[in-house]
Amino acid sequence: MQTTKRVAVIGGGVIGASTAFYLSQAPSTEVTLFDEGTGQATSAAAGIISPWLSRRRNKRWYRLVKTGAAFYPTFIKDIGQDPSNSAIYQKTGTLLFKSKPEYLDELMEIGLKRREDAPEIGELHILSPDEIRQYIPIYEGQASALYASGGARVDGGKLVDHLQNTLEERGVSIHRTQAGIQKGASGRYAVSDAAGTQEFDAVVLAVGAWLPQLLKPFGYDVDVRPQKGQLAQLTLPISETADWPVVMPEGEKDIIPFADGKVVIGATHENDMGYDLSIDETLLRPMIEEAAEGFSSLFKEASHIAYRSGTRAYTSDYSPFFGEIPGNPGLYTASGMGSTGMTAGPLVGKILAQLILGEAADLPLEDYPVDRYVTPLDTLQ
Ligand SMILES: Cc1cc2nc3c(=O)[nH]c(=O)nc-3n(C[C@H](O)[C@H](O)[C@H](O)COP(=O)(O)OP(=O)(O)OC[C@H]3O[C@@H](n4cnc5c(N)ncnc54)[C@H](O)[C@@H]3O)c2cc1C
């Protein structure tokens, strides 16, 4: 008779919720999810899925986000949504602006080369201002942009709500509390929260920027630091915004349109604010004003402005990591996703589930080594 494996997933952002989702499909697995939720990057995220035209030279990172972006339609289908018509995810295309026209030509060249092994980039065209207006009628700027039809946007808040609801329907117990971990009896792990302590055969630490807090009492130093991100959500006095492409000017102020006039603008990248989540309008107001340049006064007539903030997780070399923590069979983690964790998150969640279920992982784990960022305290100088 097959024995049931008890698995705890700590952290219910995109990675933890996706891991729990894939584990909950396995009949031999009983999953419990712990998610405190404060500062969660996933529900704060801008949600741009468009990694192909980045100038970052980190090949392992690129492979992760490229594969993560390609995996999205399958993931959306797996979670019971229609990838071509979902409030959670939509392939709307992206428009990339550059300060000089010749930079657009360079970007086009990069795009065409990368498309050879990433056909999901889709069509690539340099669009004139008039052509941009066919996609976004309120565009009044004079700049051209590179259009990539494969770009998408995802609503992180809706995604985790949907995943957590599905998990509850499948009988997964969700504790919306802070949890801690200790070594339990005979190689198992003890997870404690306000409701008590339970032992598990395997534990996944998908706690983003909070990994140091969980692993320090467990005897590890963790090279992960928090980065604050703030953004604004405007409601424009028009409703036909659902199909607009994501607008990516140079710098921080991306514009991510959603349905019913909702437009997200952001986000800040603040390295010296720790886990602070307060809203700083002195940063956000100029961001909205700058983003509005080139668009009609409709931006200034937004009926509602809401702000939100969240905490990203960064490593000192900006590389992500995931897998089993060496020396701790059954203890898994993923963190350091930086600004592209919405892109990589579902794939990383699936890979963590594959490891726990003893299946082959979709990417080579040695490219994302946990032990480079999670080091036993007693080996430190
Ligand atoms: C403003 C902003 C904009 C972004 N835009 C994009 C984008 O456009 N595209 C993109 O690809 N990525 C983007 N990102 C990055 C992306 O959101 C993150 O990389 C990704 O969401 C990280 O997911 P995660 O599951 O690792 O962590 P999180 O989403 O942070 O989830 C971790 C969860 O663990 C919980 N937790 C922590 N400690 C404990 C504990 N002890 N017990 C119980 N629960 C605990 C937290 O409360 C949280 O809910 C953005 C991030 C921010 C902040």
Side-chain angles (χ1 to χ4, degrees):
M1 200 180 71
Q2 204 173 26
T3 53
T4 300
K5 195 173 196 172
R6 297 195 74 219
V7 185
V9 178
I10 308 183
V14 61
I15 294 182
S18 309
T19 307
F21 174 82
Y22 283 109
L23 285 173
S24 70
Q25 290 179 330
S28 57
T29 307
E30 184 191 310
V31 186
T32 305
L33 177 68
F34 298 84
D35 184 40
E36 202 273 329
T38 309
Q40 184 185 88
T42 300
S43 49
I48 304 172
I49 311 297
S50 181
W52 313 282
L53 298 162
S54 164
R55 287 182 176 270
R56 273 181 77 176
R57 285 166 188 264
N58 182 333
K59 286 198 174 120
R60 293 167 181 176
W61 165 82
Y62 179 68
R63 183 169 178 186
L64 174 63
V65 290
K66 180 194 83 162
T67 315
F71 176 59
Y72 248 92
T74 306
F75 169 66
I76 293 295
K77 225 173 171 174
D78 286 351
I79 66 173
Q81 297 273 302
D82 177 354
S84 63
N85 181 23
S86 161
I88 296 174
Y89 166 89
Q90 198 175 334
K91 233 182 226 190
T92 52
T94 34
L95 281 171
L96 289 101
F97 288 81
K98 289 281 159 202
S99 55
K100 293 189 181 158
E102 58 266 34
Y103 295 165
L104 279 184
D105 296 330
E106 278 173 28
L107 205 59
M108 178 77 167
E109 241 173 77
I110 295 174
L112 289 172
K113 191 145 194 299
R114 292 217 167 138
R115 194 169 63 180
E116 286 167 17
D117 69 347
E120 51 284 348
I121 295 180
E123 288 170 38
L124 289 165
H125 302 290
I126 294 179
L127 300 184
S128 68
D130 276 343
E131 287 168 326
I132 294 174
R133 274 185 274 286
Q134 288 172 20
Y135 288 95
I136 307 181
I138 67 165
Y139 179 61
E140 287 175 352
Q142 291 312 315
S144 298
L146 178 64
Y147 174 71
S149 69
R153 45 106 173 131
V154 61
D155 185 324
K158 283 195 175 130
L159 174 63
V160 286
D161 284 351
H162 175 78
L163 285 171
Q164 293 196 5
N165 289 339
T166 308
L167 289 170
E168 278 178 328
E169 280 162 25
R170 288 181 177 180
V172 170
S173 165
I174 302 185
H175 297 223
R176 292 185 171 83
T177 54
Q178 192 171 14
I181 176 170
Q182 286 177 318
K183 276 241 156 86
S186 59
R188 298 178 91 216
Y189 298 96
V191 176
S192 308
D193 71 349
T197 301
Q198 297 180 59
E199 289 209 347
F200 293 91
D201 304 303
V203 177
V204 178
L205 305 178
V207 291
W210 293 269
L211 192 59
Q213 284 85 330
L214 262 145
L215 279 181
K216 198 159 184 195
F218 206 72
Y220 285 90
D221 184 64
V222 179
D223 173 12
V224 166
R225 56 206 157 83
Q227 185 193 61
K228 180 177 176 183
Q230 302 181 66
L231 40 73
Q233 183 175 303
L234 276 57
T235 305
L236 304 184
I238 37 169
S239 52
E240 305 80 27
T241 44
D243 298 328
W244 288 1
V246 171
V247 175
M248 301 176 74
E250 271 182 314
E252 291 187 329
K253 46 179 188 322
D254 297 319
I255 304 175
I256 308 97
F258 288 88
D260 304 323
K262 286 200 181 59
V263 170
V264 168
I265 296 173
T268 65
H269 293 75
E270 299 166 68
N271 286 326
D272 48 1
M273 298 299 287
Y275 295 88
D276 176 58
L277 293 171
S278 61
I279 295 302
D280 182 352
E281 286 199 46
T282 62
L283 293 177
L284 288 162
R285 284 270 165 197
M287 197 179 251
I288 297 174
E289 273 160 36
E290 239 184 280
E293 278 169 26
F295 292 88
S296 82
S297 53
L298 278 183
F299 260 68
K300 297 194 176 95
E301 289 166 23
S303 60
H304 180 70
I305 301 182
Y307 301 115
R308 59 181 198 247
S309 64
T311 310
R312 304 180 188 90
Y314 270 95
T315 57
S316 52
D317 64 359
Y318 301 98
S319 295
F321 61 90
F322 50 88
E324 198 170 49
I325 301 178
N328 298 272
L331 184 59
Y332 301 83
T333 192
S335 185
M337 300 289 147
S339 298
T340 46
M342 285 311 300
T343 309
L347 176 68
V348 171
K350 184 174 180 216
I351 291 175
L352 290 174
Q354 286 171 329
L355 296 179
I356 291 168
L357 298 172
E359 298 168 3
D362 281 350
L363 283 177
L365 295 170
E366 61 274 19
D367 284 353
Y368 310 97
V370 173
D371 57 358
R372 186 176 296 167
Y373 306 96
V374 176
T375 11
L377 279 166
D378 58 5
T379 65
L380 293 175
Q381 298 294 315

